[in-house]
Amino acid sequence: MRPTPTRSAARAPLPTDCAESPGRAGPRARRERSRRHPPPGRRAQKSNKDKGRKWYLGVNPAVGVGETATLTTGLLCIPLLLAVAFTLPGNQVLPMVDLITLPSMSIVFACTSNGNILKSTIMAIVWFTLVLFVCSFVGPYYTEVAKGVGVEIPSNALMICSYVILAKPVLGAMFFAFLSGNPLIIAAVVALYFVLYFLFRKNKDAVQDFIERQALMGSEDVEAA
């Protein structure tokens, strides 16, 4: 038996811009694809419009921790910080577990000194000493909160705190102002904050150039400039 012939439905012609062709997209599709995914040359041309702007690439802190100057600075600060903690008048904190984080906390000092270990160590010890004062002051509040949530304090410990979390003397000073509850002190600190903020915004380029010169001091880039 011969099969009965069937008629397929008529297919409407496609618009010229969308006409199908084997292995080739229509003009409209090509323009849309080009707009969404411009070729490298066009992307480079577009990036030239931002000429004159500075771009800062942020990387993971692990990149800085592995640098020789950073590791050396952090390791040198461990015995020095312990010596300071034992001899500093008024200090009530002895860093223990947080000592292993000193290399990661020393990244900024190694960067701003262009890897100069002596400068990095001096800056780090000064900063870490200020942190001891912050921890000594905030420690009782930190301990009270810990007890309130059920943390068991060792019998031979007077208080607990986190050296890493509290390692921000500038923010600690602001915290102390609000902790005092004195409206005049709070208003003075808030006013000082905005004054310093606007001064930084006004002299942002000069501040950044100074930091970069300090970070590159002694390198070929600074000598050439």
Side-chain angles (χ1 to χ4, degrees):
M1 177 180 292
R2 297 179 59 185
T4 304
T6 59
R7 295 181 60 184
S8 59
R11 186 176 182 182
L14 293 173
T16 306
D17 287 346
C18 298
E20 296 179 334
S21 58
R24 184 178 180 182
R28 180 179 298 175
R30 290 198 301 269
R31 286 197 299 269
E32 181 66 18
R33 184 172 57 189
S34 177
R35 184 184 66 82
R36 294 183 178 181
H37 307 285
R42 188 178 302 175
R43 288 197 295 267
Q45 292 175 2
K46 289 184 178 181
S47 64
N48 290 336
K49 295 180 181 180
D50 297 329
K51 191 174 182 180
R53 296 180 59 185
K54 291 184 179 180
W55 293 85
Y56 293 92
L57 179 63
V59 296
N60 191 283
V63 178
V65 175
E67 208 277 328
T68 304
T70 304
L71 283 175
T72 305
T73 300
L75 294 176
L76 288 175
C77 285
I78 292 177
L80 293 176
L81 182 60
L82 288 175
V84 172
F86 277 111
T87 59
L88 185 66
N91 176 51
Q92 301 180 21
V93 175
L94 179 63
M96 297 298 293
V97 179
D98 292 329
L99 290 175
I100 61 176
T101 65
L102 292 186
S104 64
M105 297 168 64
S106 302
I107 297 176
V108 62
F109 308 117
C111 291
T112 53
S113 66
N114 193 27
N116 188 303
I117 297 176
L118 178 60
K119 292 182 179 180
S120 301
T121 304
I122 294 174
M123 289 189 291
I125 284 298
V126 172
W127 186 265
F128 294 155
T129 301
L130 294 176
V131 178
L132 289 176
F133 284 117
V134 176
C135 291
S136 298
F137 187 86
V138 181
Y141 302 98
Y142 204 97
T143 305
E144 184 179 351
V145 172
K147 290 181 177 179
V149 296
V151 177
E152 296 184 2
I153 307 299
S155 58
N156 58 346
L158 298 178
M159 60 183 183
I160 62 173
C161 65
S162 174
Y163 190 85
V164 175
I165 295 177
L166 300 176
K168 303 171 180 63
V170 176
L171 295 180
M174 298 178 62
F175 174 74
F176 297 155
F178 284 91
L179 191 63
S180 67
N182 190 320
L184 295 178
I185 297 179
I186 296 175
V189 169
V190 173
L192 179 61
Y193 170 82
F194 282 105
V195 169
L196 295 176
Y197 173 78
F198 286 114
L199 285 176
F200 171 75
R201 295 291 299 180
K202 182 179 179 180
N203 304 282
K204 182 178 179 180
D205 293 336
V207 173
Q208 291 176 345
D209 291 340
F210 172 78
I211 294 176
E212 290 180 357
R213 286 197 304 270
Q214 293 297 313
L216 298 175
M217 187 172 294
S219 65
E220 296 179 357
D221 294 340
V222 174
E223 293 175 356

